[in-house]
Amino acid sequence: SSTREEIMPKRTINKIIVHHSASGSAVTTVEKIRKWHVESNGWSDIGYHFVIYPTGEVHTGRPMSRTGAHCKGHNKGSIGICVAGNFEVEPTQEKQETALFDLIDKLCKKHKVTWEEVYGHKEFGKTLCPGTSLFKALVNQRKLKTQEIPST
């Protein structure tokens, strides 16, 4: 018997979109976000593929084989990463930033996506997400990564 994952075609990834949970970082878990998305939004599962805790732990959300529900009009072909916290009111944690950038590096390599295709949610719509401090860190990292000269 084959599972649904095995018979589903592989998704083509062309961008990575970063979010914040807009909730207290200390109390936000994958389970809580899943509950909000399923019970409040009526979705089938958590919308994000990954959630990064303040400790820097990376937790999986929705299976990568399934289209996410995190950025209207841009879910198909994207990976949604949520960093736990409200970065409009709190600074990002160094451990979270490191974990986020490491995860993005791995995903870029695996899916042949460049840092030029890594975005903050607000770049696609009227939202404060991923919050001021996280967006600033993301934009700085994207600049850094896109200025790197590939080794020959």
Side-chain angles (χ1 to χ4, degrees), residues 66-140:
R66 291 183 48 220
T67 299
H70 55 90
C71 186
K72 196 178 173 124
H74 296 274
N75 290 314
K76 192 176 190 259
S78 72
I79 296 170
I81 303 171
C82 179
V83 182
N86 183 342
F87 302 110
E88 274 301 304
V89 298
E90 59 184 300
T92 55
Q93 299 298 314
E94 193 179 332
K95 286 177 183 172
Q96 271 179 313
E97 277 187 34
T98 301
L100 173 66
F101 300 152
D102 287 350
L103 176 62
I104 292 171
D105 280 336
K106 283 181 193 134
L107 293 170
C108 282
K109 233 177 223 128
K110 184 178 180 184
H111 298 284
K112 295 175 177 47
V113 171
T114 70
W115 267 87
E116 288 166 333
E117 286 98 27
V118 176
Y119 303 95
H121 184 186
K122 67 179 1 179
E123 292 176 274
F124 295 113
K126 283 186 77 156
T127 177
L128 295 173
C129 183
T132 305
S133 62
L134 182 56
F135 187 67
K136 187 178 174 196
L138 181 67
V139 168
N140 287 341

